[in-house]
Amino acid sequence: MRTIIEQFALDIGCFPTDLTTDTFCYGQPTKAMFSYHRFAGVAIVYQGKLYIRADNVSLVSQLKKQYQGKNNQWFFELQNIQDFQAILIKNGYRLKEWGTFLLPQKIIDSEDEAFQFFYGDGIDQFRNQKDFDQCFTYSKEDPDILGVAYQINNKIIGMAGCNENGKYCCEIGINILSNYRKQGLATKLIQKLTAEIMKADMDRIPVARTEFSHTESLNAFINAGYKLGWTAISFEKETEISHLRNRK
């Protein structure tokens, strides 16, 4: 199976062998990048190392001077984020978004007969269904691959889905109907979907994204055999953000 370092190398614009230390690169976003890194710039913290790409040579130089060789496993401390944001603002950038990402570690496949799989055109039937709005993207750029539903009395009460994301990843999303939460169903669905991805030999790494504050989501993936993988923060040019606001 691919390693996440191979995806990071595409996202930063370097070789995988460069990522044994803090790395700072100039480059533009491309479709091959993981979607949450597919912005004017991104800072990734993985195993205590900091990887930064930006579309501005001067900004890359400033960030390298500020952060190379530092104890970057503490990068997301509040004071540091404020300092980071100040550098961005000075150069005409703003924070875009940040998040926590999880990777599979030890997945146990369940043989429960209540599972049902959906592929290709079969996924489209769930479009615009709010109960399952986190499972699929319906995106041409990052197309959906697979969905798995959990049923009780022929009723779908929970679902997990995955879509292509970047060149080497697929992203997992999940929904459980409110009356059936906190019963371990999320864990079962994550395990089943992840096991199916691995059996299908898609040559893609299953990845989950959530917010720092969403402890329920974090725990569901951890209980399913995932581990915390990396944190990332993206940024965008202020002119582009202002343009998007003016269109609303």
Side-chain angles (χ1 to χ4, degrees), residues 178-210:
S178 58
N179 291 340
Y180 296 91
R181 292 173 185 168
K182 298 184 179 181
Q183 298 180 27
L185 297 180
T187 295
K188 286 185 177 182
L189 281 164
I190 293 165
Q191 289 175 326
K192 191 65 178 179
L193 179 61
T194 305
E196 194 68 16
I197 292 168
M198 292 176 168
K199 283 192 293 186
D201 192 24
M202 296 180 185
D203 201 29
R204 287 183 175 272
I205 308 157
V207 174
R209 177 203 183 272
T210 189

Side-chain angles (χ1 to χ4, degrees), residues 25-69:
C25 294
Y26 164 80
Q28 302 289 337
T30 69
K31 185 183 183 302
M33 295 176 179
F34 191 58
S35 64
Y36 299 100
H37 305 161
R38 202 183 294 159
F39 296 99
V42 65
I44 300 167
V45 181
Y46 177 71
Q47 296 185 349
K49 294 179 284 294
L50 177 64
Y51 311 140
I52 287 181
R53 174 190 53 78
D55 64 355
N56 180 308
V57 174
S58 175
L59 177 57
V60 172
S61 178
Q62 292 172 56
L63 293 172
K64 182 176 182 179
K65 182 178 180 181
Q66 177 75 14
Y67 292 108
Q68 188 174 40

Side-chain angles (χ1 to χ4, degrees), residues 70-212:
K70 299 294 178 62
N71 193 7
N72 287 313
Q73 62 187 343
W74 298 105
F75 184 82
F76 278 83
E77 284 189 324
L78 178 59
Q79 182 59 59
N80 186 67
I81 292 299
Q82 291 172 337
D83 295 342
F84 180 68
Q85 181 173 244
I87 296 173
L88 296 182
I89 291 172
K90 180 181 177 181
N91 287 272
Y93 290 79
R94 291 289 187 275
L95 297 181
K96 178 69 175 178
E97 60 178 57
W98 60 28
T100 299
F101 299 85
L102 299 100
L103 296 166
Q105 183 175 32
K106 185 177 181 181
I107 303 297
I108 299 174
D109 191 7
S110 171
E111 298 300 327
D112 197 313
E113 295 180 358
F115 292 115
Q116 180 180 0
F117 290 98
F118 298 91
Y119 306 86
D121 294 340
I123 291 172
D124 199 59
Q125 65 185 290
F126 301 103
R127 187 187 295 268
N128 299 323
Q129 290 193 23
K130 292 183 178 180
D131 287 335
F132 305 114
D133 60 354
Q134 298 297 311
C135 299
F136 307 110
T137 64
Y138 308 103
S139 165
K140 291 182 179 180
E141 189 170 33
D142 301 300
D144 298 305
I145 306 171
L146 171 65
V148 57
Y150 193 90
Q151 301 177 99
I152 295 180
N153 297 325
N154 295 319
K155 176 185 177 182
I156 295 176
I157 55 90
M159 181 178 292
C162 69
N163 62 283
E164 295 181 6
N165 196 323
K167 187 172 183 178
Y168 297 131
C169 294
C170 59
E171 182 185 7
I172 292 178
I174 186 165
N175 288 101
I176 306 293
L177 297 186
S178 58
N179 291 340
Y180 296 91
R181 292 173 185 168
K182 298 184 179 181
Q183 298 180 27
L185 297 180
T187 295
K188 286 185 177 182
L189 281 164
I190 293 165
Q191 289 175 326
K192 191 65 178 179
L193 179 61
T194 305
E196 194 68 16
I197 292 168
M198 292 176 168
K199 283 192 293 186
D201 192 24
M202 296 180 185
D203 201 29
R204 287 183 175 272
I205 308 157
V207 174
R209 177 203 183 272
T210 189
E211 299 293 347
F212 303 105

